[in-house]
Structures are given as structure tokens and as C-alpha cells.
Amino acid sequence: MSQKGLIYSFVAKGSVVLAEHTPYSGNFSTIAVQCLQKLPSNSSKYTYSCDGHTFNFLIDSGFVFLVVVDESVGRSVPFVFLERVKDAFKQRYGSSIGGDGTHPLADDDEDDDLFEDRFSIAYNLDREFGPTLKEHMDYCMNHPDEMSKLSKLKAQITEVKGIMMDNIEKVVFLCVLFEGF
């Protein structure tokens, strides 16, 4: 992995960036938000390339996880990173994701605007989750061999899953075919 492998990362709800981290200066956040607004709705993973960088998106339950990497990193390692971030995010905010997303200290008072929906305010989770993004970026940069191994393992699992699905379809087809006999 190059020295400037993982460059910028964020978590967004729809088009609202909730938390971000980058150790570098540049216009990565501006380009990432522009890409975010153009994401296709029919895919859970997407990658844009621009000026020697890839903008890798993982979409899950209305949340968008992004990492910008140097093109030399490849396409699989960024998605291992994004899965790690997604899992950390769900672990931390899972109880709020399924509900209405209100702050845990909010009460039922309709006049209380102090605790609005925590997933609708831009950069609302930056102080809470920004350091987590940094930790995962640092870990992935400092353990490139492990990330590569995880990436290869994930590819193998996906391949086996595809083969299993094909085999299940064949068995179902044969069962339907022989049911008439």
C-alpha cells in the first residue's frame, strides 16, 4: 500500500455527511459530496475514479460509508475498510438506526429542539465518530498485509457463495422438473 493509501473517509445519511476524517489537505470532501449526490440507487457498492484516486462507497440501511484511496491501493482493500467502519458504526449507533434516530437524552417534549434527529444534521457525529474513522484508517494503513488477506478471504467467500447459489438453483430446478414424474 502506498504511503498515502487511505486519504479521506466519511459516514453520511442520505446526502448529509455526519462524520469525516482526513489527515491530508485537498478537495477530497468536495468531490466526495458531489459523487454522493450522484450515487446510483441500484447498488450497495460503487466506485468513482478521479485524478489517480478512487472514491469507494458502501451503502447500507440509508447510510453511506466512503473512503478515498490512492488508485495503487486497488478496489478490494477499501471495501474491507468500509465494512469495518460500517460494523463499528452499527455497533455504536445500531439502537438509533432502527428507531427514529433521536438522541438518547431527548424526551417526548415537542418544544425541545436541542435533541433533534442525530442523523439529519450535517457533521453532528464528527466529534463522536470522527476519531473512530481515524482509528480504522490508521489500523488499515499500519496493517496492509492483514487487509490484503481479509480482502482475498472476502473474495473467496463471495465466490463460494455464488457457487452455492447456482447449485441451489439447479437443485430447485431438478426438484420441480422431477416433481411431474
Side-chain angles (χ1 to χ4, degrees), residues 3-180:
Q3 188 61 24
K4 200 174 182 180
L6 302 178
I7 298 168
Y8 172 74
S9 181
F10 74 49
V11 177
K13 172 74 173 175
S15 62
V16 178
V17 176
L18 301 172
E20 67 179 353
H21 175 73
T22 184
Y24 304 103
S25 61
N27 63 346
F28 304 110
S29 62
T30 304
I31 295 170
V33 169
Q34 289 173 354
C35 293
L36 176 63
Q37 295 168 350
K38 296 177 183 178
L39 281 178
S41 59
N42 60 347
S43 179
S44 63
K45 293 181 179 180
Y46 205 79
T47 300
Y48 288 105
S49 293
C50 180
D51 294 330
H53 302 94
T54 60
F55 293 70
N56 305 275
F57 295 87
L58 175 65
I59 304 161
D60 185 276
S61 304
F63 290 91
V64 181
F65 304 88
L66 161 102
V67 65
V68 178
V69 302
D70 188 270
E71 274 185 344
S72 65
V73 172
R75 293 189 69 181
S76 54
V77 171
F79 286 102
V80 171
F81 166 81
L82 291 173
E83 288 287 344
R84 289 174 56 93
V85 170
K86 178 188 82 168
D87 292 345
F89 187 82
K90 284 186 163 187
Q91 183 177 6
R92 185 163 190 165
Y93 301 107
S95 61
S96 298
I97 291 171
D100 59 5
T102 56
H103 194 283
L105 298 177
D107 57 22
D108 294 331
D109 185 2
E110 291 180 21
D111 295 332
D112 189 4
D113 291 335
L114 179 61
F115 299 111
E116 291 184 38
D117 178 0
R118 68 191 325 182
F119 301 131
S120 65
I121 302 168
Y123 303 100
N124 192 39
L125 303 179
D126 214 26
R127 291 173 80 188
E128 287 178 41
F129 201 73
T132 303
L133 292 171
K134 178 187 182 326
E135 287 173 24
H136 285 289
M137 288 176 83
D138 290 345
Y139 183 85
C140 289
M141 288 296 295
N142 294 328
H143 299 88
D145 292 339
E146 182 180 334
M147 293 302 104
S148 183
K149 287 177 188 174
L150 284 171
S151 174
K152 288 175 185 172
L153 180 61
K154 195 166 189 62
Q156 289 173 341
I157 290 170
T158 301
E159 182 181 356
V160 169
K161 188 174 167 184
I163 292 168
M164 287 176 55
M165 293 302 290
D166 288 345
N167 289 340
I168 289 170
E169 288 175 10
K170 289 175 186 175
V171 168
V172 168
F173 175 74
L174 289 174
C175 287
V176 170
L177 184 66
F178 288 114
E179 194 172 276

